[in-house]
Amino acid sequence: MARLAAGPAPEAVILGDSLAAGWPGPDLDRATGLSTLNLGLPGDRVQTTRWRLAAMAAFAIRPCLAIVMVGTNSFADGDSPQTVTAGLGALVALLRAAWAPPVIVLATVPWRESPSGRSEADRLALNAAIHELARTESLALLACDAALGPDPAPGLEPDRLHLTASGYAALGAALASLPRPG
């Protein structure tokens, strides 16, 4: 995880789990068009990302763009779409209160091999709920399935969960096409 240190404040931040943490810095900067601080942490669930943000809220940064890419671990652990989206809604509210970014991008959960007890229909229901949250909260939506295309396999590592360089490139192109701050 990147550290908040003395120096210029980041223009953008990304918060989330290993999918956020694994996004290569130069690719993320290119996709956002801004200096982006990666605050992703492998293993994070929605509630732990929210807890970490609350702990970091004292840092007086004012990014003009924030990307929230978390939920795959909560999904894998069996949280319902309603639980995940309620947590994401609380995370967005805290993000607005702490750092007030004018643009917040909410990412859907990319295709992954279905965890035990979960189905593809469950993940699609979660993504539909995330899409609705983005709409009601006036957030930009990074639709990961659309970005990765009908066959996500080339964008996935052999673990069928994490993204390859081409997967991040596809997400970066989709992110770059979203509305820009300012």
Side-chain angles (χ1 to χ4, degrees):
M1 178 173 84
R3 292 179 15 182
L4 292 176
E11 299 169 288
V13 296
I14 184 169
L15 297 150
D17 52 38
S18 59
L19 299 176
W23 203 317
D27 296 346
L28 190 54
D29 288 350
R30 195 170 24 263
T32 63
L34 302 165
S35 168
T36 306
L37 177 63
N38 192 326
L39 297 171
L41 186 65
D44 251 13
R45 295 171 38 95
V46 173
Q47 53 272 60
T48 52
T49 299
R50 196 170 76 221
W51 177 86
R52 285 188 315 104
L53 176 59
M56 292 183 289
F59 290 96
I61 64 172
R62 292 289 176 254
C64 56
L65 172 68
I67 304 157
V68 177
M69 188 173 198
V70 64
T72 195
N73 296 318
S74 298
F75 168 75
D77 289 343
D79 290 355
S80 70
Q82 298 79 13
T83 299
V84 173
T85 55
L88 287 170
L91 177 59
V92 165
L94 180 58
L95 184 57
R96 284 179 168 149
W99 295 337
V103 176
I104 298 174
V105 176
L106 187 59
T108 60
V109 173
W111 188 91
R112 57 167 294 155
E113 187 165 80
S114 293
S116 179
R118 300 313 296 256
S119 69
E120 177 63 0
D122 294 331
R123 188 187 67 83
L124 293 174
L126 172 58
N127 281 346
I130 291 171
H131 186 276
E132 181 61 17
L133 176 65
R135 188 189 67 73
T136 59
E137 291 292 325
S138 300
L139 308 172
L141 182 72
L142 178 56
C144 295
D145 288 346
L148 293 172
D151 179 11
L156 295 173
E157 293 285 351
D159 67 4
R160 299 175 54 86
L161 167 64
H162 294 96
L163 300 169
T164 62
S166 65
Y168 282 113
L171 291 185
L175 181 59
S177 72
L178 295 176
R180 289 279 153 265

